[in-house]
Amino acid sequence: MNWAATVQQAAEITTDLADIRASIISESLDADAAGSTQTQHRYPDNYTPPTSVLESWLRARARGHRRDTHQPELVNADELDRRREQSPLRHASTAARAIVEASADESELVFGMFDADGVMLWGQADSRLRDAAHGLHITEGARWDEESAATTVVGQVLADPRPQRVYPAEHYAKALGDWYCTGAPVLDRVTGDVAGVIAFGGQMNAVQPATLMLAASVAEFCARDVSDEHQRRLSTLRETGGKTLSAFKAALLVDDDGLVADSRGVIAPTRIAPPSDGELRFVTGLGVCVAERIVGGWVVRPAGPPGPILIELDLRGEPSIHVTDGPDHITIVITRRHAQILLLLSDAGRAGLTSAELSKMLFGDATHEVSVRSEMSRLRRAVGTLVASRPYRLATDVTLTVVPD
């Protein structure tokens, strides 16, 4: 390891964070000194910007965002309709909007329901704020993740799923300098994924401290509905697919998200990678499997006789893994980061690695567990149950070999 380069990089990051902190505080103080009614009392005494905001600014700078430019990406109408139809929030959206709409013209707030990519699927606003909100692209179809809009509460919640608040000067884009925002994640309790974000925004001269609690409450309502919908769908799938499942010696009955509704001849996992028609997938206990479409879900069954599971990690050119299960073979292209993680998990053996341990190995410290969990979620979507969790490790009876670069 090049320690001199590591120390230099750390020093540069520390300097950047100090500069960002000074910029946020200075902008707030300048606005207060000018007597702006929009910005008075926006921070308590001895305020220090949250680390999450400072790091978000750092990422925005690295992406080349300009503070004087605010132009979130806007998806087209067809894409918006598609996202609404596929969103886990779709069943909760009507009731959630009705809760807010009852006092929409008295709240001085803008309300939005966002998907896991930060796209506003549904929204509404106090009539006094609609023009201003529209001018800032706070509209249905606008994308408010960090990549598109830099530092906003939607991006913050997606990066670190917990209720959060972003004050005016903390927004990276100066155009948002008179707005405060609160948001909370809608957590899918079955899959563990972030299903979406509930967010409220308003102008700073009408700040409402209870808005964070409101966002968290609406998010909790939506999370309960998402969980209930999973159970309804899995129950229906068990009823409609039971006869098909019984025709196999060993198989799984799963929905489109890969959630297991029922099984036969195997100790079933709770979830596998979402199936696709005819594509070979590895499933612990079944080996290499093929998925067959049925009404409301899939039957996932072994593609052939079971054999020892061998993984060859090929680092020549674009990394890929070749999975062999008896006579069956799968090749999956992966990223270099995911190849690095597979090597670390292989070295760890059956003991595996926690998210904190992976954070230290990948980033140099234990403070990047959120990033680790995101990477592991993406890796498991790519390779299925070849990687197990709690702690993270290679699946039982898997042998990994490496073809070096």
Side-chain angles (χ1 to χ4, degrees):
M1 177 181 292
N2 188 334
W3 288 105
T6 301
V7 170
Q8 176 64 26
Q9 182 182 30
E12 291 173 355
I13 292 175
T14 300
T15 300
D16 285 339
L17 293 178
D19 174 58
I20 293 168
R21 179 182 289 108
S23 176
I24 293 174
I25 295 175
S26 174
E27 187 168 320
S28 174
L29 292 175
D30 288 347
D32 284 345
S36 170
T37 58
Q38 298 284 68
T39 55
Q40 288 175 343
H41 310 300
R42 72 173 59 165
Y43 298 119
D45 292 339
N46 302 320
Y47 166 81
T48 298
T51 300
S52 59
V53 170
L54 298 174
E55 292 179 345
S56 177
W57 276 49
L58 198 62
R59 291 190 293 269
R61 288 181 171 183
R63 289 191 179 100
H65 282 286
R66 294 172 54 89
R67 294 203 62 206
D68 56 359
T69 301
H70 174 66
Q71 191 68 41
E73 177 187 342
L74 189 67
V75 304
N76 61 42
D78 290 341
E79 174 66 7
L80 178 58
D81 287 342
R82 184 191 68 80
R83 287 177 176 270
R84 285 172 170 169
E85 290 172 1
Q86 296 182 359
S87 171
L89 305 183
R90 62 189 181 279
H91 299 290
S93 64
T94 301
R97 284 180 290 160
I99 292 171
V100 177
E101 189 174 6
S103 58
D105 276 340
E106 298 177 3
S107 63
E108 295 190 59
L109 292 171
V110 176
F111 165 67
M113 301 180 72
F114 299 78
D115 68 13
D117 293 324
V119 175
M120 182 189 277
L121 302 180
W122 298 277
Q124 56 197 61
D126 183 314
S127 58
R128 290 163 290 184
L129 297 180
R130 285 173 191 158
D131 289 344
H134 190 270
L136 293 172
H137 311 287
I138 308 176
T139 57
E140 294 175 346
R143 185 166 179 162
W144 281 76
D145 64 316
E146 197 172 75
E147 185 174 346
S148 185
T151 306
T152 68
V153 79
V154 176
Q156 293 292 85
V157 170
L158 290 175
D160 182 6
R162 59 184 176 85
Q164 297 192 56
R165 179 184 285 112
V166 175
Y167 284 107
E170 293 172 350
H171 289 103
Y172 189 80
K174 292 183 178 181
L176 301 174
D178 285 333
W179 288 70
Y180 75 98
C181 300
T182 63
V186 178
L187 297 176
D188 187 325
R189 298 165 181 169
V190 177
T191 67
D193 298 334
V194 174
V197 176
I198 301 299
F200 289 88
Q203 294 184 320
M204 196 60 201
N205 62 341
V207 64
Q208 300 177 47
T211 309
L212 185 61
M213 181 173 64
L214 176 61
S217 298
V218 176
E220 174 65 15
F221 167 82
C222 292
R224 289 177 182 273
D225 184 87
V226 170
S227 180
D228 290 345
E229 178 58 26
H230 276 309
Q231 299 308 318
R232 288 192 293 269
R233 189 167 64 241
L234 293 177
S235 178
T236 300
L237 183 55
R238 280 191 291 271
E239 293 177 4
T240 59
K243 184 176 181 180
T244 302
L245 179 66
S246 66
F248 298 96
K249 183 177 180 180
L252 301 177
L253 191 63
V254 304
D255 70 3
D256 288 333
D257 294 320
L259 294 171
V260 178
D262 204 352
S263 64
R264 180 175 174 83
V266 64
I267 298 175
T270 302
R271 188 187 187 193
I272 65 172
S276 57
D277 198 18
E279 182 178 356
L280 294 176
R281 290 288 177 90
F282 174 84
V283 178
T284 301
L286 291 177
V288 173
C289 293
V290 64
E292 297 178 356
R293 190 56 144 151
I294 63 172
V295 176
W298 305 79
V299 168
V300 178
R301 59 172 178 78
I309 308 301
L310 306 175
I311 306 177
E312 182 182 79
L313 175 58
D314 191 342
L315 300 178
R316 296 171 298 182
E318 189 173 25
S320 60
I321 59 173
H322 308 290
V323 184
T324 301
D325 176 17
D328 297 305
H329 304 272
I330 308 174
T331 296
I332 305 170
V333 176
I334 59 176
T335 67
R336 291 204 169 272
R337 173 66 85 188
H338 290 166
Q340 181 185 9
I341 291 172
L342 289 175
L343 288 172
L344 292 172
L345 295 181
S346 178
D347 290 342
R350 299 309 311 149
L353 295 168
T354 65
S355 56
E357 289 170 334
L358 273 172
S359 177
K360 290 179 182 178
M361 294 176 177
L362 296 173
F363 302 101
D365 58 56
T367 64
H368 293 77
E369 291 187 63
V370 172
S371 297
V372 167
R373 287 193 289 270
S374 296
E375 283 291 351
M376 292 306 300
S377 179
R378 286 189 283 270
L379 173 58
R380 297 187 75 198
R381 281 198 293 270
V383 304
T385 54
L386 285 172
V387 172
S389 61
R390 299 178 183 176
Y392 297 116
R393 62 197 186 282
L394 294 181
T396 304
D397 299 329
V398 167
T399 300
L400 184 142
T401 59
V402 180
V403 178
D405 192 349

